[in-house]
Amino acid sequence: MILCAGGMSVDPDDNTPGGIQAADADVVCYGAPVLPGAMFLLGYFADGMPILGLPGCVVYAGATIFDLLMPRIAAGVPVTRAQIAALGEGGLCLGCEECRYPVCPFGK
């Protein structure tokens, strides 16, 4: 897999999403209903190689969209847009003072 960690901000100067698209990856999603991690990007190359655009929060937050999807991606299980959309069930992470991830509505 290829991990691109450049911030993935909404700033027009962020070249990560455009670079991933220019590399001819099929983008599954750009954005996810999960906080922290809403600016996540997932794509696949024709040979099945996943490429991820990681938001800056993966550096400092205890659990993000990356933590929710990494086990599937690392196991070689393709992740779909519908599966990412389903992560929004139950609302967004509230950053509970005492996190019990993965036993949490955040990680449904």
Side-chain angles (χ1 to χ4, degrees), residues 1 4 10 12 16 20 26 33-34 37 50 55 57 66 73-74 76 78 83 107-108:
M1 89 180 57
C4 303
V10 294
T16 308
I20 290 172
D26 179 28
V34 175
C57 63
F66 182 62
I73 295 167
Q83 290 169 327
K108 272 191 173 186

Side-chain angles (χ1 to χ4, degrees), residues 28-106:
V28 173
C29 78
Y30 179 24
V34 175
L35 288 179
M39 297 306 297
F40 175 79
L41 186 148
L42 172 64
Y44 290 94
F45 289 105
D47 65 358
M49 171 76 69
I51 183 165
L52 290 70
L54 301 176
C57 63
V58 301
V59 174
Y60 65 83
T64 69
I65 182 72
F66 182 62
D67 297 285
L68 296 176
L69 296 179
M70 178 49 86
R72 297 178 202 178
I73 295 167
V77 177
V79 176
T80 67
R81 182 180 193 88
Q83 290 169 327
I84 293 171
L87 294 173
E89 179 183 332
L92 300 174
C93 180
L94 299 176
C96 302
E97 191 170 310
E98 185 176 333
C99 182
R100 299 191 189 284
Y101 176 82
V103 181
C104 171
F106 164 65

